[in-house]
Amino acid sequence: MQKIFPPTLHDRGVIARWRAWLPDITDATPVVSLNEGSTPLIHSPRLSALVGRDVRVFLKYEGLNPTGSFKDRGMTVAVSKALEAGARSILCASTGNTSAAAAAYAARAGLACIVLLPAGKIALGKLVQAIAYGAKIVTIDGNFDDALQLVRELADDPAIAIVNSINPHRLEGQKTASFEIIAELGDAPDAHFLPVGNAGNISAYHRGYREWLTLGRATRAPRMIGWQAAGAAPIFHGQPVAKPETVASAIRIGNPASWSLASAAVAESGGAVDIVSDDEILAAQSWLARHEGIFVEPASAASVAGLLKCVRQGGECHAPASGTIVCTVTGHGLKDTVTVLDRAAALAPPVPAKREAILAALDEN
Ligand SMILES: *Cc1c(COP(=O)(O)O)cnc(C)c1O
């Protein structure tokens, strides 16, 4: 059979770049990739200055993955393994980004994709993605936790592969972000801040850092500092939240699937899980866009909101007084435009297409 793509065209994806550290991947695994990963690690001079003279803050900009979130890193591995295992369809519950990634990688692989979405709780851009990539969408009267429970109940058909983060291949793919950070900084950071929803990503990052520490490719593993939204903070409170509520829909989760893995990651790294309010999340989202030119979706801003909270609180917070902090910003701002538009002032009516009219309009602003 003629190969459509020479292998060199796939040499930039997560599997191609980090294959040596992905034991799930064998020669028998058909690689399904969209050249995900290798996202920018952007130095933030303004955040660094806010936190302290001896601190360098970097943003791992995961919104620049092919479907606009870090979910692509796990999905390339999960969908490749599903194809290898002979699955015909993939299935997931989603707050939006998992379904966007699943639908895209399924299309790439020639698999059907079924997504269960909590009705009315998905950011529009993410829903648009699932539609555009041709997923079969079922919306349910219930929240994400209900949808994930239903996915578990549908798990018995061998032709259907579940690609939620309860699929262990997902976390394997996601751990590669830590490798990229170490490769770029020359060592692991001192602290790593990230939003926590279903708690897979904090577990995956920790695993990546630990693996390279063990191999001597880094001299330390960072303290993992996870941020939950105040209205959806089961790990922080130590008990499930029946009706999680937050503007940050990607972390609106009341009973995280990777709760115990995340707790272990936090304990082993000397880290913490803490909370930020919706106002703090939205303020951080706006701050990041206006001060650094980086537009992220609300959930992504939770990591930066946490750092800004640390700055306000001073001493007793989770930011080290010196060294390097990485904040993962997990998804692209264009996925959730309504949240920004709802808070923006209405656009003024159009003015005549004349120089004077423009100057007058600018004067009024
Ligand atoms: C999935 C997601 C999260 C939460 O990650 P978990 O692994 O579920 O903790 C955060 N931000 C964005 C943009 C996401 O898509």
Side-chain angles (χ1 to χ4, degrees), residues 192-219:
H192 191 119
F193 284 38
L194 77 175
V196 171
N198 221 13
N201 212 29
I202 190 171
S203 313
Y205 268 95
H206 179 67
R207 183 189 298 174
Y209 283 128
R210 294 298 304 189
E211 284 183 8
W212 273 24
L213 175 65
T214 305
L215 291 169
R217 296 178 72 91
T219 68

Side-chain angles (χ1 to χ4, degrees), residues 75 90 98-108 111 113 115 129-131 133-135:
M75 208 53 77
I90 61 173
T98 297
S99 54
Y105 284 78
R108 184 79 168 167
L111 298 173
C113 178
V115 302
Q129 287 180 291
I131 295 169
Y133 295 128

Side-chain angles (χ1 to χ4, degrees), residues 108-356:
R108 184 79 168 167
L111 298 173
C113 178
I114 306 160
V115 302
L116 300 193
L117 304 179
K121 307 254 177 178
I122 303 295
L124 212 51
K126 304 176 188 181
L127 184 60
V128 166
Q129 287 180 291
I131 295 169
Y133 295 128
K136 285 185 200 150
I137 300 167
V138 184
T139 56
I140 63 156
D141 284 327
N143 60 25
F144 170 81
D145 300 288
D146 301 325
L148 185 57
Q149 181 52 39
L150 287 162
V151 161
R152 291 181 195 268
E153 288 169 23
L154 293 166
D156 46 10
D157 184 342
I160 301 180
I162 294 178
V163 296
N164 279 105
S165 55
I166 53 176
N167 175 331
H169 304 303
R170 280 271 310 276
L171 300 200
E172 278 291 288
Q174 287 171 210
K175 76 182 181 186
T176 59
S178 300
F179 301 160
E180 292 175 15
I181 290 165
I182 293 171
E184 197 143 334
L185 295 177
D187 204 341
D190 297 281
H192 191 119
F193 284 38
L194 77 175
V196 171
N198 221 13
N201 212 29
I202 190 171
S203 313
Y205 268 95
H206 179 67
R207 183 189 298 174
Y209 283 128
R210 294 298 304 189
E211 284 183 8
W212 273 24
L213 175 65
T214 305
L215 291 169
R217 296 178 72 91
T219 68
R220 56 177 174 253
R223 290 195 288 140
M224 300 304 304
I225 313 292
W227 295 92
Q228 298 196 295
I235 301 180
F236 176 78
H237 291 301
Q239 58 184 48
V241 175
K243 291 197 171 12
E245 278 307 334
T246 167
V247 67
S249 55
I251 54 173
R252 190 188 289 143
I253 292 175
N255 193 8
S258 296
W259 190 326
S260 57
L261 281 178
S263 297
V266 165
E268 193 179 23
S269 70
V273 170
D274 207 334
I275 52 173
V276 279
S277 69
D278 278 8
D279 283 348
E280 288 170 323
I281 287 171
L282 294 173
Q285 179 193 30
S286 170
W287 190 94
L288 209 51
R290 288 163 184 246
H291 290 89
E292 297 289 20
I294 297 174
F295 179 33
V296 303
E297 67 168 282
S300 307
S303 57
V304 175
L307 188 58
L308 293 172
K309 184 175 177 181
C310 285
V311 169
R312 282 198 307 278
Q313 290 189 346
E316 74 268 35
C317 209
H318 311 291
S322 67
T324 305
I325 302 172
V326 172
C327 297
T328 299
V329 285
T330 41
H332 203 287
L334 288 174
K335 284 171 172 283
D336 186 357
T337 48
V338 174
T339 305
V340 175
L341 287 173
D342 278 353
R343 290 158 52 238
L347 284 185
V351 301
K354 295 265 186 308
R355 182 175 182 276
E356 299 69 37

Side-chain angles (χ1 to χ4, degrees), residues 18-29:
W18 303 115
R19 193 176 193 109
W21 293 277
L22 294 171
D24 297 357
I25 303 295
T26 70
D27 290 344
T29 313

Side-chain angles (χ1 to χ4, degrees), residues 59-83:
L59 302 165
K60 183 68 169 159
Y61 192 10
E62 290 287 279
L64 291 196
N65 275 296
T67 76
S69 86
F70 73 83
K71 300 295 198 299
D72 295 343
R73 289 181 187 276
M75 208 53 77
T76 180
V77 179
V79 173
S80 297
K81 292 302 286 185
L83 198 58

